[in-house]
Amino acid sequence: MHLLSVLLIGIASNLDNLGISVSYGLRSTRIPVFSNLIIAIVSMLCAYFSIFAGKFISVFISMRIANFTGGLILICIGIKCIVTSILEENSTSDVKVDSNYSQVITHPDLADVNDDKIISLKESIFLGFALAINCLVMGLGAGITGISPVLTTFSIGVFSFISIWCGLKLGNKICGKNIGKYSNIVAGLLLIIIGVYEMIV
C-alpha cells in the first residue's frame, strides 16, 4: 500500500482548490462549512469512481505493466498541468458567467453566479464538479497503479476541505492569481514525482 502516494495525490489534486479559494478570499466571498463539505463530497465521489475504474482495468494487466501505465498517466497529467499553467499566463481574459452555470466548469472561480458573496448549496455542487474534473484522469492513473480507492478518496476529500478553508483565510494576505498559477505548477511536479515513484516501486 503506497501511503506516500495516497498522501501526495490528496495534496496534488487539491492545489487547484487552494488557488480558487484564495481568489474568493480576495473578493470577500464566503464558502460556508456546509458548502465546503459538499465540494469535498463531490470530489470524493468523482475520485472514487475514477480510481475504481483504474483498479478494474489493472485486473487485466500485470502489476508491472499496471504500475508503469498508471505512473506514465500521472506523469503526463503533471506535464500538462505545468504546460497549461505557463500558456495561460500569457492569455488571460475576462469571462462572464451566464445564468445556466455553463462557464463554471471551465472557470471555477466564477461559481458565485448571483454575486451575493456566498457560495450557496447549488453553487457548491457546480463548483465541486468543476474542481473534481482534475481528479478524474488523475484517479484513473492512480487506480491502475493499485492504490487503495478508499484511502485515496478519503485523502482527496480531507485535503479538499482543508485547502479551501486555508485558501479563504489566506485570501486577504496574498495574491490569488499567483497562487493559482504556482499551484498548477506545484501540482504538476508532485504528479510527476508520484508517477516516477509508482513506476519504480
Side-chain angles (χ1 to χ4, degrees):
M1 195 179 301
H2 303 294
L3 294 178
L4 178 60
S5 293
V6 169
L7 181 65
L8 291 178
I9 286 174
I11 295 172
S13 62
N14 287 296
L15 286 175
D16 224 19
N17 294 24
L18 181 64
I20 295 299
S21 58
V22 167
S23 71
Y24 279 132
L26 286 168
R27 289 177 284 180
S28 299
T29 298
R30 291 177 50 236
I31 301 180
V33 173
F34 188 70
S35 294
N36 193 1
L37 185 61
I38 292 297
I39 294 170
I41 291 173
V42 171
S43 294
M44 289 172 71
L45 289 173
C46 291
Y48 180 80
F49 285 114
S50 63
I51 295 169
F52 186 80
K55 198 171 182 66
F56 177 78
I57 293 173
S58 69
V59 173
F60 301 98
I61 54 180
S62 68
M63 181 61 69
R64 185 174 181 179
I65 295 177
N67 285 338
F68 181 84
T69 304
L72 185 61
I73 291 174
L74 293 176
I75 291 172
C76 290
I77 299 171
I79 294 173
K80 182 180 181 297
C81 284
I82 295 172
V83 172
T84 300
S85 179
I86 294 173
L87 293 177
E88 286 182 349
E89 184 180 355
N90 300 318
S91 60
T92 56
S93 60
D94 295 329
V95 180
K96 294 187 179 297
V97 181
D98 58 28
S99 59
N100 64 8
Y101 294 77
S102 63
Q103 297 286 353
V104 177
I105 298 300
T106 53
H107 299 276
D109 59 317
L110 300 175
D112 186 18
V113 176
N114 57 13
D115 200 27
D116 63 353
K117 300 298 181 181
I118 298 177
I119 300 299
S120 65
L121 173 61
K122 182 178 179 180
E123 291 169 342
S124 70
I125 294 174
F126 278 91
L127 180 57
F129 277 110
L131 294 173
I133 289 176
N134 291 332
C135 300
L136 292 176
V137 181
M138 193 184 304
L140 184 67
I144 291 176
T145 65
I147 289 177
S148 168
V150 175
L151 287 179
T152 307
T153 298
F154 182 74
S155 176
I156 288 173
V158 169
F159 280 107
S160 171
F161 190 92
I162 293 174
S163 63
I164 288 177
W165 184 82
C166 290
L168 291 171
K169 297 296 182 183
L170 292 171
N172 293 323
K173 299 179 180 180
I174 49 183
C175 180
K177 182 178 178 181
N178 287 336
I179 285 293
K181 178 179 69 176
Y182 293 122
S183 67
N184 284 333
I185 293 176
V186 173
L189 291 173
L190 277 176
L191 289 174
I192 291 173
I193 292 171
I194 297 167
V196 171
Y197 175 78
E198 290 296 332
M199 291 173 74
I200 295 175
V201 177

